[in-house]
Amino acid sequence: TALSGSCLGKATEKGSCPTSRAGKCPSDAMRAAAASSGGGASVPTTPNPIEAFWKDARRRGMHLKIRASNISEKATAGRHEKKRLGAVLREDVFYGRAIMKIPRHVLLSVETVHDSDLRHELLDFLFENQTLTSVYNISTEDTIHLLSLAYPLIAESRKQDSVYREWLDAAQDERLLVLQLTERQHAVLLGTTVEGAYKEMLQNRNLIYETAPNFTFFRKWPVTVDEAAWALAVIMRHARVVHPHQDVRETRHPRMYLFPLKELLAVQLHPDPGVAISFQEEIILEDGKREEEMVLQIARRDMAKGEQVFLWPGRLSNSEMAVRHGLAFPSNPVGIGRNASQPPNWSPNPETKIRKEYDKYNCSTLEAFEMRLSLRGHPMRNFVRCYRVSWFLTNGWYNPGLAKRLR
């Protein structure tokens, strides 16, 4: 088949194939041989690259113990009971066992871009040469994660023979609600905790659009504004944080990946990270022979067949969920608001003495100092605790014994 394929690719202008030593086109000779054998012989065909990719992923240990199912949603606040699509377990999963097991190369990220030239340029732009920082004066981790996913996603969407084609087609209609609002609807957001959401998402979309010419891949076929908006919407909805495995968590930060699996489109979101289990990286031994880098979702308790499985959308209030995803949760532990009051003695270095004291009280990130209010107007308990510890540390009233009174 390789010979016949190359021959056909080098056909002359009259459509003929270069002849072999026998005076016949090799492909014609193969067809004649098949015909002379009464049709019993067939010309070997090249394996479908998409089928081969997913077959190899399963061979390397990919396994999803979930299936799509219609979930009944109870009637609340005058709303009738309804059914919605969700994902449930296909079998019992015991504590510490994997609900989902996905080889890392299956996920979409800057490290798994199939186009090697684009991958190298992305790594140089974001990390090695740090062009994003030096030219655009942008160094925030969220923005780096966004761009590291946006360009691989757009590149894959343009390939009709992409191994992710089924998932890409299913996600083709993703849009960010806040970018679809009219001017009159924008005016309604003024004075609310999400009044800056439109400006933030618009800046992110424009950044994807404006930085694309830095890559050779997009110079001949420039990224459009619509493509940038679509990529932003898909990342906001389907990108997930993956925590590094235990051995390197002190030196390596969590990273964002896109999970281009159609089976995961049915999985619903849940605001409680204790219910919606996060993903983590592990190096596991497959078939007792070879090590594989896997991304796992591990059961935190024994889970029965038919139990619903969730994904965590991030630390978002119902207001933020509404403008980003067009949905809200009946009960959300994350209150409204977002303004963070950084302690005056805060250090970005987690190894400093002051940061280690904050860690004792679960105040390890600036998110703990965000002023968020519940529906009843009360500040979140974690904020109260962290603000109190910060005040004591700043004003010289801190006593290490306070950690024993932590509730």
Side-chain angles (χ1 to χ4, degrees):
T1 43
L3 181 59
S4 63
S6 63
C7 252
L8 292 172
K10 297 178 181 178
T12 61
E13 293 182 357
K14 294 182 180 181
S16 62
C17 182
T19 58
S20 65
R21 292 182 180 179
K24 293 184 178 181
C25 176
S27 58
D28 294 340
M30 293 173 70
R31 294 190 188 96
S36 64
S37 62
S42 59
V43 179
T45 57
T46 304
N48 186 318
I50 299 177
E51 294 177 359
F53 176 85
W54 293 109
K55 183 178 180 180
D56 178 67
R58 289 188 291 271
R59 180 188 65 81
R60 295 171 67 170
M62 188 176 80
H63 188 44
L64 306 177
K65 299 178 181 178
I66 59 173
R67 61 176 177 83
S69 176
N70 286 321
I71 309 295
S72 295
E73 197 173 66
K74 295 181 180 179
T76 55
R79 293 183 298 180
H80 297 291
E81 180 180 349
K82 63 178 182 179
K83 290 186 178 293
R84 56 180 174 79
L85 188 65
V88 298
L89 291 174
R90 291 192 287 106
E91 57 188 81
D92 295 338
V93 179
F94 298 104
Y95 169 78
R97 300 294 179 87
I99 299 171
M100 303 182 202
K101 190 165 61 170
I102 308 168
R104 195 167 69 90
H105 79 278
V106 169
L107 305 182
L108 194 55
S109 73
V110 65
E111 299 168 343
T112 60
V113 181
H114 292 174
D115 187 293
S116 59
D117 293 335
L118 177 60
R119 180 171 64 251
H120 293 146
E121 288 185 6
L122 267 171
L123 291 172
D124 288 343
F125 181 77
L126 297 174
F127 305 107
E128 300 295 335
N129 299 333
Q130 295 188 340
T131 308
L132 183 66
T133 303
S134 59
V135 177
Y136 295 91
N137 196 28
I138 296 174
S139 59
T140 57
E141 191 174 351
D142 289 345
T143 303
I144 293 174
H145 282 312
L146 173 66
L147 296 181
S148 71
L149 296 179
Y151 299 124
L153 175 61
I154 295 173
E156 285 295 328
S157 71
R158 292 178 172 184
K159 294 166 56 179
Q160 289 303 315
D161 58 346
S162 170
V163 295
Y164 309 123
R165 177 48 53 195
E166 187 178 18
W167 176 82
L168 288 167
D169 290 342
Q172 199 60 46
D173 294 330
E174 291 285 358
R175 296 293 183 274
L176 272 179
L177 175 65
V178 70
L179 293 181
Q180 308 297 311
L181 300 179
T182 64
E183 291 187 12
R184 184 178 181 183
Q185 291 169 327
H186 288 157
V188 176
L189 300 181
L190 295 177
T192 70
T193 58
V194 291
E195 66 175 344
Y198 175 76
K199 182 179 179 181
E200 179 186 356
M201 293 300 118
L202 193 65
Q203 287 176 341
N204 288 334
R205 185 200 69 183
N206 292 342
L207 184 64
I208 296 172
Y209 172 70
E210 292 168 2
T211 56
N214 287 281
F215 307 102
T216 307
F217 187 93
F218 298 113
R219 286 174 190 159
K220 293 182 180 179
W221 188 357
V223 171
T224 66
V225 174
D226 288 341
E227 279 183 313
W230 171 77
L232 177 61
V234 171
I235 292 168
M236 288 293 170
R237 179 66 176 83
H238 300 292
R240 297 284 169 258
V241 174
V242 177
H243 298 275
H245 54 82
Q246 296 286 351
D247 296 341
V248 296
R249 286 193 179 178
E250 296 296 326
T251 58
R252 188 167 153 189
H253 297 293
R255 290 180 289 182
M256 295 287 287
Y257 289 94
L258 278 169
F259 286 68
L261 303 166
K262 192 176 180 181
E263 294 86 347
L264 267 63
L265 294 176
V267 184
Q268 295 293 317
L269 303 176
H270 198 285
D272 188 348
V275 176
I277 306 170
S278 58
F279 290 95
Q280 63 189 62
E281 287 181 339
E282 296 290 347
I283 298 177
I284 63 177
L285 198 63
E286 282 293 318
D287 300 330
K289 299 178 182 179
R290 64 183 187 280
E291 291 184 341
E292 291 284 353
E293 287 188 272
M294 290 285 185
V295 172
L296 310 174
Q297 188 185 50
I298 303 293
R300 296 176 180 171
R301 55 180 175 79
D302 292 345
M303 301 179 71
K305 176 182 178 180
E307 186 171 341
Q308 189 171 2
V309 177
F310 297 96
L311 296 175
W312 190 52
R315 193 168 181 267
L316 301 173
S317 67
N318 272 352
S319 300
E320 292 164 323
M321 285 294 300
V323 296
R324 291 190 183 197
H325 303 303
L327 60 90
F329 302 110
S331 177
N332 191 340
V334 181
I336 61 173
R338 199 177 179 184
N339 292 334
S341 300
Q342 179 173 320
N345 56 358
W346 180 263
S347 170
N349 183 2
E351 298 302 320
T352 58
K353 184 177 179 180
I354 195 73
R355 279 292 301 274
K356 289 181 178 180
E357 288 299 317
Y358 278 125
D359 289 348
K360 293 178 182 178
Y361 303 92
N362 196 25
C363 309
S364 54
T365 68
L366 287 176
E367 286 184 348
F369 298 93
E370 288 181 350
M371 182 60 167
R372 290 180 178 269
L373 304 177
S374 69
L375 293 177
R376 295 185 177 182
H378 302 300
M380 296 179 66
R381 180 175 294 182
N382 191 50
F383 167 79
V384 174
R385 179 176 63 249
C386 293
Y387 186 84
R388 185 182 182 193
V389 171
S390 170
W391 192 91
F392 286 149
L393 285 168
T394 303
N395 293 279
W397 285 57
Y398 177 71
N399 186 333
L402 186 64
K404 298 179 180 179
R405 296 159 53 189
L406 180 66
R407 290 187 297 173

